Amino acid sequence: MPELPEVQTVVNDLQILAGDHLTGFWTNWKRALGSMSPSALEKKIKDTKIIAVRRMSKFIVLDLSSKESLLLHLRMTGKLILNDQGSMINDQKNANKHLHHKFFLKNRGALEFHDIRKFGTIKLLPTSEVVLKNFNLGMDPLAKNFTTSALSKIFTEHRNKPIKNLLLDQTLISGIGNIYASEILFDSKIKPSKKAGDLNVGEIKSLHESIKKILQKAISLRGTSVSDYRDGNGKKGSFQKVLMVYKRNGQKCKVCGTIVEKSVMSGRSTFYCPACQN
DNA sequence: AATCGTTCCTGATAGC
DNA sequence: TGCTATCAGGAACGAT
């Protein structure tokens, strides 16, 4: 599941595209484009230069010389892989059944969008409109404005909600998904079901530190490949090796030996150690 | 007006 | 063995 660390890893891998030019686009799943037709998209991006590759929340953003930006969202199973051998001809019919979109490049073959479950999306918007508030997204947890007091304010405004639900709410904090929500809460020893308003100052400070620490550690380990996620070169990350609770229900807590438990919150699996987390 | 449930999809796995 | 049912979860959307 690509979350902030996975998207950042892909963005880092794709920095090499800055300065290259887009020469074409191919898709076999136009639903991912929303209302825009594949031919309209191709016409708009053809022969533009890629100025920058960056992350906005869980979006991968390619800023183009046309003053427009491509917004790619991997959702559940999307993979964005640079294929230096990628050709203009779609010869992948049988070779790669999950390859659904290709951005052809002048100097580097093609940028391939693979997507098993086809939830991924592609948008093209004016670069000036690519800001968090236009997408109803909350602050980025790695941005400078994500301070302890900003986090505290969110918890005060949503005091009756379970803390885990707030971490997953993209309109409040954007970038944390289900894997890191559980891992972050374990790191700060807070029970996922604890109400936001019941956290004391020390717990809020600890949680703020854990959010940044876990996300940064996951970036340094190039993401979590628990199932489909791959980096910009098609390789696995390694954070799955250091998961403390996610998908470890029934196994011993790596800290205290108590059996890790699983519950469901807002329809999402939640993992925690009943002894370490209060 | 917030909150809940459903939907989009396919593959892995469980259970019979 | 082979079938069907269930689950995985990001985000948009409809329903309550």
Coordinates of all heavy atoms in Angstrom, one line a residue, chain A residues 191-276:
Chain A
K191 N -2.7 3.4 22.6 CA -3.8 2.5 22.1 C -4.5 3.1 20.9 O -5.0 4.3 21.1 CB -4.7 2.1 23.3 CG -5.6 1.0 23.1 CD -6.3 0.6 24.4 CE -7.0 1.8 25.0 NZ -7.7 1.4 26.3
P192 N -4.7 2.4 19.8 CA -5.4 3.0 18.6 C -6.8 3.6 18.9 O -7.2 4.6 18.3 CB -5.5 1.9 17.6 CG -4.4 0.9 18.1 CD -4.3 1.1 19.5
S193 N -7.5 2.9 19.9 CA -8.9 3.3 20.1 C -9.0 4.5 21.1 O -10.1 5.0 21.4 CB -9.6 2.1 20.7 OG -9.0 1.7 21.9
K194 N -7.8 4.9 21.6 CA -7.9 6.0 22.6 C -8.4 7.3 22.0 O -8.1 7.7 20.8 CB -6.5 6.3 23.1 CG -6.4 7.3 24.3 CD -5.1 7.1 25.1 CE -5.1 7.9 26.4 NZ -4.0 7.5 27.2
K195 N -9.3 8.0 22.7 CA -9.9 9.2 22.2 C -8.9 10.3 22.1 O -8.1 10.5 23.1 CB -11.1 9.6 23.1 CG -12.3 8.6 23.1 CD -13.2 8.8 21.9 CE -14.5 8.1 22.1 NZ -14.3 6.6 22.0
A196 N -8.9 11.1 21.1 CA -7.9 12.2 20.9 C -7.9 13.1 22.1 O -6.8 13.5 22.5 CB -8.2 12.9 19.6
G197 N -9.0 13.4 22.6 CA -9.1 14.3 23.7 C -8.5 13.8 25.0 O -8.3 14.5 26.0
D198 N -8.3 12.5 25.1 CA -7.8 11.9 26.3 C -6.2 11.8 26.3 O -5.6 11.3 27.3 CB -8.3 10.4 26.4 CG -9.8 10.5 26.8 OD1 -10.3 11.5 27.2 OD2 -10.5 9.4 26.5
L199 N -5.6 12.3 25.2 CA -4.1 12.3 25.2 C -3.6 13.4 26.0 O -4.1 14.6 25.9 CB -3.6 12.4 23.8 CG -3.3 11.1 23.0 CD1 -4.6 10.3 22.8 CD2 -2.7 11.4 21.7
N200 N -2.6 13.2 26.9 CA -2.0 14.3 27.6 C -0.9 14.9 26.8 O -0.6 14.4 25.7 CB -1.5 13.8 29.0 CG -0.4 12.7 28.9 OD1 0.4 12.8 28.0 ND2 -0.5 11.7 29.7
V201 N -0.3 16.0 27.3 CA 0.7 16.7 26.6 C 1.9 15.9 26.2 O 2.4 15.9 25.1 CB 1.1 17.9 27.4 CG1 2.3 18.7 26.7 CG2 0.0 18.9 27.7
G202 N 2.3 15.0 27.1 CA 3.4 14.1 26.9 C 3.1 13.2 25.7 O 4.0 12.9 24.9
E203 N 1.9 12.6 25.7 CA 1.5 11.7 24.7 C 1.5 12.4 23.3 O 1.9 11.8 22.3 CB 0.2 11.0 25.0 CG 0.3 10.0 26.1 CD -1.1 9.5 26.6 OE1 -2.0 10.3 26.7 OE2 -1.2 8.3 26.9
I204 N 1.0 13.6 23.3 CA 0.9 14.3 22.0 C 2.3 14.6 21.5 O 2.6 14.4 20.3 CB 0.1 15.6 22.2 CG1 -1.4 15.3 22.5 CG2 0.2 16.5 20.9 CD1 -2.2 16.5 22.9
K205 N 3.2 15.0 22.4 CA 4.6 15.2 22.0 C 5.2 14.0 21.5 O 5.9 13.9 20.4 CB 5.3 15.8 23.2 CG 6.7 16.4 22.9 CD 7.1 17.3 24.0 CE 8.5 17.9 23.8 NZ 9.6 17.1 24.3
S206 N 5.0 12.9 22.2 CA 5.6 11.6 21.8 C 5.0 11.1 20.4 O 5.7 10.7 19.5 CB 5.2 10.5 22.8 OG 5.3 9.2 22.3
L207 N 3.7 11.3 20.2 CA 3.1 10.9 19.0 C 3.6 11.8 17.8 O 3.9 11.3 16.7 CB 1.6 11.1 19.1 CG 0.7 10.6 17.9 CD1 1.0 9.2 17.6 CD2 -0.8 10.7 18.3
H208 N 3.8 13.1 18.1 CA 4.4 13.9 17.0 C 5.8 13.5 16.6 O 6.1 13.4 15.4 CB 4.4 15.4 17.6 CG 5.0 16.4 16.6 ND1 6.3 16.9 16.8 CD2 4.5 16.9 15.5 CE1 6.5 17.7 15.8 NE2 5.5 17.8 15.0
E209 N 6.5 13.1 17.6 CA 7.9 12.6 17.3 C 7.8 11.3 16.6 O 8.6 11.0 15.6 CB 8.7 12.4 18.6 CG 9.2 13.7 19.2 CD 9.8 13.6 20.6 OE1 10.1 12.5 21.0 OE2 10.0 14.6 21.2
S210 N 6.9 10.4 17.0 CA 6.8 9.1 16.3 C 6.4 9.2 14.9 O 6.8 8.4 14.0 CB 5.8 8.2 17.1 OG 6.4 7.8 18.4
I211 N 5.5 10.1 14.6 CA 5.0 10.3 13.2 C 6.2 10.6 12.3 O 6.4 9.9 11.3 CB 3.9 11.4 13.2 CG1 2.6 10.9 13.8 CG2 3.7 11.8 11.7 CD1 1.6 12.0 14.0
K212 N 7.0 11.6 12.7 CA 8.1 12.0 11.9 C 9.2 10.9 11.8 O 9.7 10.6 10.8 CB 8.7 13.3 12.4 CG 7.7 14.4 12.3 CD 8.3 15.8 12.2 CE 8.9 16.2 13.6 NZ 9.4 17.5 13.5
K213 N 9.4 10.3 13.0 CA 10.5 9.3 13.1 C 10.2 8.0 12.2 O 11.0 7.6 11.5 CB 10.6 8.9 14.6 CG 11.7 7.8 14.8 CD 11.7 7.4 16.3 CE 11.5 5.9 16.5 NZ 11.4 5.6 17.9
I214 N 9.0 7.5 12.4 CA 8.6 6.3 11.6 C 8.6 6.6 10.1 O 9.1 5.8 9.3 CB 7.2 5.7 12.1 CG1 7.3 5.3 13.6 CG2 6.7 4.6 11.2 CD1 8.2 4.1 13.8
L215 N 8.0 7.7 9.7 CA 7.9 8.0 8.3 C 9.3 8.2 7.7 O 9.6 7.7 6.6 CB 7.0 9.3 8.1 CG 5.5 9.1 8.4 CD1 4.8 10.5 8.2 CD2 4.9 8.0 7.6
Q216 N 10.2 8.9 8.5 CA 11.5 9.1 7.9 C 12.3 7.8 7.9 O 13.1 7.5 6.9 CB 12.2 10.2 8.8 CG 11.9 11.6 8.3 CD 12.1 12.6 9.4 OE1 12.5 12.4 10.5 NE2 11.9 13.9 9.0
K217 N 12.1 7.0 8.9 CA 12.8 5.7 8.9 C 12.3 4.8 7.7 O 13.1 4.1 7.0 CB 12.5 4.9 10.2 CG 13.3 3.6 10.3 CD 12.9 2.9 11.7 CE 13.6 1.6 11.7 NZ 13.2 0.8 12.9
A218 N 11.0 4.9 7.4 CA 10.4 4.1 6.3 C 11.0 4.6 5.0 O 11.2 3.8 4.1 CB 8.9 4.2 6.3
I219 N 11.2 5.9 4.9 CA 11.8 6.5 3.6 C 13.2 6.0 3.5 O 13.6 5.5 2.4 CB 11.7 8.0 3.6 CG1 10.3 8.5 3.5 CG2 12.6 8.6 2.5 CD1 10.1 10.0 3.8
S220 N 13.9 6.0 4.6 CA 15.3 5.5 4.5 C 15.4 4.0 4.2 O 16.4 3.6 3.6 CB 16.1 5.8 5.8 OG 15.7 5.0 6.9
L221 N 14.4 3.3 4.5 CA 14.4 1.8 4.2 C 13.6 1.6 2.9 O 13.3 0.5 2.5 CB 13.8 1.0 5.3 CG 14.6 1.0 6.6 CD1 13.9 0.1 7.7 CD2 16.0 0.4 6.3
R222 N 13.3 2.7 2.2 CA 12.7 2.6 0.8 C 11.3 2.0 0.8 O 10.9 1.3 -0.1 CB 13.6 1.9 -0.1 CG 15.0 2.5 -0.2 CD 15.9 2.0 -1.3 NE 15.3 2.1 -2.6 CZ 15.2 3.2 -3.3 NH1 15.7 4.3 -2.8 NH2 14.7 3.2 -4.5
G223 N 10.6 2.2 1.9 CA 9.2 1.8 1.9 C 8.9 0.4 2.4 O 9.8 -0.4 2.8
T224 N 7.6 0.0 2.5 CA 7.2 -1.3 3.0 C 6.6 -2.1 1.9 O 5.6 -1.7 1.3 CB 6.1 -1.1 4.1 OG1 6.6 -0.3 5.1 CG2 5.7 -2.4 4.7
S225 N 7.2 -3.2 1.5 CA 6.7 -4.1 0.5 C 6.0 -5.3 1.1 O 6.6 -6.4 1.1 CB 7.8 -4.5 -0.5 OG 8.3 -3.4 -1.2
V226 N 4.9 -5.1 1.7 CA 4.2 -6.2 2.4 C 3.4 -7.0 1.3 O 3.1 -8.1 1.5 CB 3.3 -5.6 3.5 CG1 2.0 -5.0 3.0 CG2 3.0 -6.7 4.5
S227 N 3.1 -6.3 0.2 CA 2.4 -7.1 -0.9 C 2.9 -6.6 -2.2 O 3.9 -7.0 -2.8 CB 0.9 -7.0 -0.8 OG 0.4 -5.7 -0.8
D228 N 2.2 -5.5 -2.8 CA 2.5 -5.2 -4.2 C 3.5 -4.0 -4.3 O 4.0 -3.8 -5.4 CB 1.2 -4.7 -4.8 CG 0.2 -5.8 -4.8 OD1 0.4 -6.9 -5.4 OD2 -0.9 -5.7 -4.1
Y229 N 3.7 -3.2 -3.3 CA 4.5 -2.0 -3.5 C 5.9 -2.3 -4.1 O 6.6 -3.2 -3.6 CB 4.6 -1.2 -2.2 CG 5.7 -0.2 -2.3 CD1 5.6 0.9 -3.1 CD2 7.0 -0.4 -1.7 CE1 6.6 1.9 -3.3 CE2 8.0 0.5 -1.9 CZ 7.8 1.7 -2.7 OH 8.8 2.5 -2.8
R230 N 6.3 -1.5 -5.1 CA 7.7 -1.5 -5.6 C 8.2 -0.1 -5.8 O 7.3 0.8 -6.0 CB 7.8 -2.3 -6.9 CG 7.4 -3.8 -6.8 CD 8.4 -4.6 -6.0 NE 8.0 -6.0 -6.0 CZ 7.2 -6.6 -5.1 NH1 6.5 -5.9 -4.2 NH2 6.9 -7.9 -5.2
D231 N 9.5 0.1 -5.8 CA 10.0 1.5 -6.0 C 10.0 1.8 -7.5 O 9.6 1.1 -8.3 CB 11.4 1.6 -5.3 CG 12.5 0.8 -6.0 OD1 12.3 0.4 -7.1 OD2 13.5 0.5 -5.3
G232 N 10.6 3.0 -7.8 CA 10.7 3.4 -9.2 C 11.5 2.6 -10.1 O 11.4 2.7 -11.3
N233 N 12.2 1.6 -9.5 CA 13.0 0.7 -10.3 C 12.5 -0.7 -10.3 O 13.1 -1.6 -10.8 CB 14.5 0.7 -9.9 CG 15.1 2.1 -9.9 OD1 15.1 2.7 -11.0 ND2 15.7 2.6 -8.8
G234 N 11.3 -0.8 -9.7 CA 10.6 -2.1 -9.6 C 11.1 -3.0 -8.5 O 10.8 -4.2 -8.4
K235 N 11.9 -2.4 -7.6 CA 12.5 -3.2 -6.5 C 11.7 -3.0 -5.2 O 11.1 -2.0 -5.0 CB 13.9 -2.8 -6.2 CG 14.8 -3.1 -7.4 CD 16.3 -3.1 -7.0 CE 17.2 -3.7 -8.1 NZ 17.6 -2.7 -9.1
K236 N 11.8 -4.0 -4.3 CA 11.1 -4.0 -3.0 C 11.8 -3.0 -2.0 O 13.0 -2.8 -2.1 CB 11.1 -5.4 -2.4 CG 10.1 -6.4 -3.1 CD 10.0 -7.7 -2.2 CE 9.1 -8.7 -2.9 NZ 8.8 -9.8 -2.0
G237 N 11.0 -2.5 -1.1 CA 11.5 -1.8 0.0 C 11.9 -2.8 1.1 O 11.8 -4.0 0.9
S238 N 12.2 -2.3 2.3 CA 12.6 -3.2 3.3 C 12.0 -2.9 4.7 O 12.3 -3.6 5.7 CB 14.1 -3.4 3.4 OG 14.7 -2.1 3.5
F239 N 11.1 -1.9 4.8 CA 10.5 -1.6 6.1 C 9.7 -2.8 6.6 O 9.5 -2.9 7.9 CB 9.7 -0.4 6.0 CG 9.3 0.2 7.4 CD1 10.2 1.1 8.0 CD2 8.1 0.0 8.0 CE1 10.0 1.6 9.3 CE2 7.8 0.5 9.3 CZ 8.8 1.3 9.9
Q240 N 9.2 -3.7 5.7 CA 8.4 -4.8 6.2 C 9.2 -5.7 7.2 O 8.6 -6.4 8.0 CB 7.8 -5.6 5.0 CG 8.9 -6.4 4.2 CD 9.5 -5.5 3.1 OE1 9.3 -4.3 3.1 NE2 10.3 -6.1 2.3
K241 N 10.5 -5.6 7.1 CA 11.3 -6.4 8.0 C 11.3 -5.9 9.4 O 11.7 -6.6 10.3 CB 12.8 -6.5 7.4 CG 12.9 -7.2 6.1 CD 14.3 -7.0 5.5 CE 14.4 -7.6 4.1 NZ 15.6 -7.2 3.4
V242 N 11.0 -4.6 9.6 CA 11.0 -4.1 10.9 C 9.7 -3.7 11.5 O 9.6 -3.0 12.4 CB 12.0 -2.8 11.0 CG1 13.4 -3.2 10.6 CG2 11.5 -1.7 10.0
L243 N 8.6 -4.2 10.8 CA 7.3 -3.9 11.3 C 7.1 -4.5 12.7 O 7.5 -5.6 13.0 CB 6.2 -4.5 10.4 CG 6.0 -3.9 9.0 CD1 5.1 -4.7 8.2 CD2 5.5 -2.5 9.2
M244 N 6.5 -3.7 13.6 CA 6.4 -4.2 15.0 C 5.0 -4.8 15.2 O 4.9 -5.7 16.0 CB 6.6 -3.0 16.0 CG 7.9 -2.3 15.9 SD 9.3 -3.4 16.3 CE 9.3 -3.3 18.1
V245 N 4.0 -4.3 14.6 CA 2.6 -4.8 14.8 C 1.8 -5.1 13.6 O 1.0 -6.0 13.6 CB 1.8 -3.8 15.7 CG1 2.3 -3.9 17.2 CG2 1.8 -2.4 15.2
Y246 N 2.0 -4.3 12.5 CA 1.2 -4.5 11.3 C 1.2 -5.9 10.8 O 2.3 -6.5 10.5 CB 1.6 -3.5 10.2 CG 0.7 -3.6 9.0 CD1 -0.6 -3.1 9.0 CD2 1.1 -4.3 7.9 CE1 -1.4 -3.2 7.9 CE2 0.3 -4.5 6.8 CZ -1.0 -3.9 6.8 OH -1.8 -4.0 5.7
K247 N 0.1 -6.5 10.7 CA -0.1 -7.9 10.2 C 0.6 -8.9 11.1 O 1.0 -10.0 10.7 CB 0.3 -8.1 8.8 CG -0.8 -7.6 7.8 CD -0.6 -8.2 6.4 CE -1.9 -7.9 5.6 NZ -1.6 -8.1 4.2
R248 N 0.9 -8.6 12.4 CA 1.6 -9.5 13.3 C 0.7 -10.0 14.3 O 1.1 -10.5 15.4 CB 2.8 -8.8 13.9 CG 4.0 -8.5 12.9 CD 5.3 -8.2 13.6 NE 5.8 -9.4 14.2 CZ 5.9 -9.5 15.5 NH1 5.5 -8.6 16.4 NH2 6.4 -10.6 16.0
N249 N -0.6 -9.9 14.1 CA -1.6 -10.4 15.1 C -1.4 -11.9 15.3 O -1.1 -12.6 14.3 CB -3.0 -10.1 14.7 CG -3.3 -10.5 13.3 OD1 -2.6 -10.2 12.4 ND2 -4.4 -11.2 13.1
G250 N -1.4 -12.3 16.6 CA -1.2 -13.7 16.9 C 0.3 -14.0 17.2 O 0.6 -15.1 17.7
Q251 N 1.1 -13.1 16.8 CA 2.6 -13.3 17.1 C 3.0 -12.5 18.3 O 2.3 -11.6 18.7 CB 3.4 -12.8 15.9 CG 3.1 -13.6 14.6 CD 3.9 -13.1 13.4 OE1 5.1 -12.9 13.5 NE2 3.2 -12.8 12.3
K252 N 4.1 -12.8 18.8 CA 4.6 -12.1 20.1 C 5.1 -10.7 19.8 O 5.8 -10.5 18.8 CB 5.7 -12.9 20.7 CG 5.3 -14.2 21.4 CD 6.4 -14.9 22.1 CE 5.9 -16.2 22.8 NZ 7.0 -17.0 23.4
C253 N 4.7 -9.8 20.6 CA 5.3 -8.5 20.6 C 6.8 -8.5 20.6 O 7.3 -9.2 21.5 CB 4.7 -7.6 21.7 SG 5.5 -6.0 21.9
K254 N 7.4 -7.8 19.8 CA 8.9 -7.8 19.7 C 9.5 -7.1 20.9 O 10.7 -7.3 21.2 CB 9.4 -7.1 18.4 CG 9.1 -7.9 17.2 CD 9.6 -7.2 15.9 CE 9.2 -8.0 14.6 NZ 9.7 -7.3 13.4
V255 N 8.7 -6.4 21.7 CA 9.2 -5.7 22.9 C 8.9 -6.5 24.1 O 9.8 -6.7 24.9 CB 8.6 -4.3 23.0 CG1 9.0 -3.6 24.3 CG2 9.1 -3.4 21.8
C256 N 7.7 -6.9 24.3 CA 7.3 -7.5 25.6 C 6.9 -9.0 25.5 O 6.7 -9.6 26.6 CB 6.2 -6.7 26.3 SG 4.6 -6.9 25.6
G257 N 6.7 -9.5 24.3 CA 6.3 -10.9 24.2 C 4.8 -11.2 24.3 O 4.4 -12.3 24.0
T258 N 4.0 -10.2 24.6 CA 2.6 -10.3 24.6 C 2.1 -10.6 23.2 O 2.7 -10.1 22.2 CB 1.9 -9.1 25.2 OG1 2.4 -8.8 26.5 CG2 0.4 -9.2 25.3
I259 N 1.0 -11.3 23.0 CA 0.5 -11.6 21.7 C -0.1 -10.3 21.1 O -1.0 -9.7 21.7 CB -0.6 -12.7 21.7 CG1 0.0 -14.0 22.3 CG2 -1.2 -12.9 20.3 CD1 1.2 -14.6 21.5
V260 N 0.3 -10.0 19.9 CA -0.2 -8.8 19.2 C -1.7 -9.0 18.8 O -2.0 -10.1 18.3 CB 0.7 -8.5 18.0 CG1 0.0 -7.4 17.1 CG2 2.1 -8.1 18.4
E261 N -2.5 -8.0 19.0 CA -3.9 -8.2 18.6 C -4.3 -7.4 17.4 O -3.6 -6.4 17.0 CB -4.8 -7.7 19.8 CG -4.7 -8.7 21.0 CD -5.6 -8.3 22.2 OE1 -6.5 -7.4 22.0 OE2 -5.5 -9.0 23.2
K262 N -5.5 -7.8 16.8 CA -6.0 -7.1 15.7 C -7.5 -6.7 16.0 O -8.2 -7.5 16.6 CB -6.0 -8.0 14.4 CG -6.7 -7.5 13.2 CD -6.7 -8.5 12.1 CE -7.6 -8.1 11.0 NZ -7.6 -9.1 9.9
S263 N -7.8 -5.5 15.6 CA -9.2 -5.1 15.7 C -9.6 -4.4 14.4 O -8.8 -4.2 13.5 CB -9.5 -4.2 16.9 OG -8.8 -3.0 16.7
V264 N -10.9 -4.1 14.3 CA -11.3 -3.4 13.1 C -11.8 -2.0 13.5 O -12.7 -1.9 14.4 CB -12.4 -4.1 12.3 CG1 -12.9 -3.3 11.1 CG2 -11.8 -5.5 11.8
M265 N -11.3 -0.9 12.9 CA -11.7 0.4 13.2 C -12.1 1.1 11.9 O -11.2 1.2 11.1 CB -10.6 1.2 14.0 CG -10.3 0.6 15.3 SD -8.9 1.5 16.1 CE -9.7 3.1 16.4
S266 N -13.3 1.6 11.8 CA -13.8 2.2 10.6 C -13.5 1.3 9.4 O -13.0 1.8 8.3 CB -13.1 3.6 10.4 OG -13.6 4.5 11.4
G267 N -13.7 0.0 9.6 CA -13.5 -0.9 8.5 C -12.1 -1.2 8.1 O -11.8 -1.8 7.1
R268 N -11.2 -0.7 8.9 CA -9.7 -1.0 8.6 C -9.1 -1.8 9.7 O -9.3 -1.6 10.9 CB -9.0 0.4 8.5 CG -9.5 1.3 7.5 CD -9.0 0.8 6.1 NE -9.6 1.6 5.0 CZ -10.7 1.2 4.3 NH1 -11.3 0.0 4.5 NH2 -11.1 1.9 3.3
S269 N -8.3 -2.7 9.3 CA -7.5 -3.6 10.2 C -6.6 -2.7 11.1 O -6.0 -1.8 10.6 CB -6.7 -4.6 9.5 OG -7.5 -5.4 8.7
T270 N -6.6 -3.0 12.3 CA -5.8 -2.2 13.3 C -5.0 -3.2 14.1 O -5.5 -4.1 14.7 CB -6.7 -1.4 14.1 OG1 -7.5 -0.6 13.3 CG2 -5.9 -0.4 15.1
F271 N -3.7 -2.9 14.3 CA -2.8 -3.9 15.0 C -2.2 -3.2 16.2 O -1.7 -2.0 16.0 CB -1.8 -4.5 14.0 CG -2.4 -5.1 12.8 CD1 -2.7 -4.4 11.7 CD2 -2.7 -6.5 12.8 CE1 -3.2 -5.0 10.5 CE2 -3.3 -7.1 11.7 CZ -3.5 -6.3 10.6
Y272 N -2.1 -3.8 17.3 CA -1.5 -3.2 18.5 C -1.1 -4.2 19.5 O -1.6 -5.4 19.5 CB -2.5 -2.2 19.1 CG -3.8 -2.9 19.6 CD1 -4.0 -3.2 20.9 CD2 -4.8 -3.2 18.7 CE1 -5.1 -3.8 21.3 CE2 -5.9 -3.9 19.1 CZ -6.1 -4.1 20.4 OH -7.3 -4.8 20.8
C273 N -0.2 -3.8 20.4 CA 0.2 -4.7 21.5 C -0.7 -4.2 22.7 O -0.5 -3.1 23.2 CB 1.7 -4.6 21.8 SG 2.1 -5.4 23.4
P274 N -1.5 -5.1 23.3 CA -2.4 -4.7 24.4 C -1.6 -4.4 25.7 O -2.1 -3.7 26.6 CB -3.3 -5.9 24.6 CG -2.5 -7.1 24.0 CD -1.7 -6.5 22.9
A275 N -0.3 -4.8 25.7 CA 0.5 -4.5 26.9 C 1.3 -3.3 26.8 O 1.4 -2.5 27.7 CB 1.4 -5.7 27.2
C276 N 1.9 -3.1 25.6 CA 2.7 -1.9 25.4 C 1.9 -0.6 25.3 O 2.4 0.5 25.6 CB 3.6 -2.1 24.2 SG 4.9 -3.3 24.4

